[in-house]
Amino acid sequence: MQRWLHLRLDAPLMAFGGIAIDHVGPTRDFPSASALTGLFANAIGWRREQGSLHQALQDRLVFGALIVAQGRLLTDTQNAKLEANDRGWTTWGRPDERAGATYDSPHRRRRDYLADHDCRVVARLTPGEGPDLDALAAALERPARPLFIGRKPCLPSSPLFAGWVEAEDALGALKALALPGRALWPMTFDAPGSDLADLRNWVTGLHGGSRRVCEGRLP
């Protein structure tokens, strides 16, 4: 039997990200591997530029997720007129600014959120360098910085650390929660799976590949 960290992701608004195209930022129903890595790293107090630490944590992360209450999709459309000297804050180390000779057109962004979504996560770490499960649990209970679920406005409604469960694998850990709902877990050899593009290359900041997962309903 293995020990699994149980997280409750519950908030008025949350966003799990997805494949962004142009100014459109979608959200998945389930948290991605990169989103959970970022959540843990923020709780520990790592900086964004510590890519090797983030990458090592993501490489060790094994998890399953269960939707207890399906949230409704909420879309936030943002329009801002940027003048020639206006700058925008970014996460990649340099300000965003307008280019070209005309500034009459607005700067547009669209971001999707899940409203009143309740998702549970069971997670463990494979052996390797870095924090262990107890360190992650301690960081979630006393985080180095304020925690948010996906985007900074998405503050959790309750403590994220919800205890421990024991099971042989991620599906067994999800069943141990004794909650019905739609679930996602790593693919096993005796079940059909699909590719999920939710990995990040934390050193380059780009898409980092896919993993094989299974999806189904738990009674």
Side-chain angles (χ1 to χ4, degrees), residues 20 24 26 28 33 43 77-78 93 95 104 146 160 164 171 173 183-184 186 188 209 217:
V24 179
R28 309 173 190 267
T77 301
Q78 306 167 2
D104 293 332
L160 297 183
W164 304 94
L171 178 57
L184 187 81
T188 56
R217 296 199 64 86

Side-chain angles (χ1 to χ4, degrees), residues 68-213:
V68 177
Q70 176 65 52
R72 66 185 187 279
L73 185 66
L74 185 149
T75 298
D76 178 31
T77 301
Q78 306 167 2
N79 297 285
K81 183 178 180 181
L82 298 180
E83 302 293 347
N85 295 323
D86 289 339
R87 301 291 185 269
W89 182 88
T90 69
T91 59
W92 54 82
R94 59 180 177 82
D96 189 19
E97 56 187 293
R98 289 291 302 273
T102 176
Y103 301 94
D104 293 332
S105 300
H107 180 69
R108 301 186 186 277
R109 292 179 59 179
R110 200 189 86 182
R111 296 293 182 265
D112 289 339
Y113 296 85
L114 292 170
D116 301 322
H117 197 64
D118 187 349
C119 181
R120 308 302 175 90
V121 173
V122 292
R124 68 174 181 88
L125 297 173
T126 59
E129 295 289 332
D132 58 15
L133 278 183
D134 290 308
L136 295 186
L140 291 175
E141 291 197 297
R142 298 182 64 86
R145 291 189 291 263
L147 300 180
F148 49 90
I149 306 177
R151 300 191 180 113
K152 289 182 176 63
C154 303
L155 303 180
S157 300
S158 57
L160 297 183
F161 176 57
W164 304 94
V165 294
E166 290 191 355
E168 291 290 347
D169 53 24
L171 178 57
L174 291 173
K175 291 179 177 179
L177 300 180
L179 295 169
R182 186 159 55 95
L184 187 81
W185 63 93
M187 188 190 73
T188 56
F189 291 107
D190 58 349
S194 59
D195 290 324
L196 178 62
D198 72 342
L199 300 176
R200 177 187 178 96
N201 185 319
W202 287 93
V203 177
T204 65
L206 302 175
H207 170 61
S210 304
R211 60 192 181 95
R212 299 286 288 175
V213 297

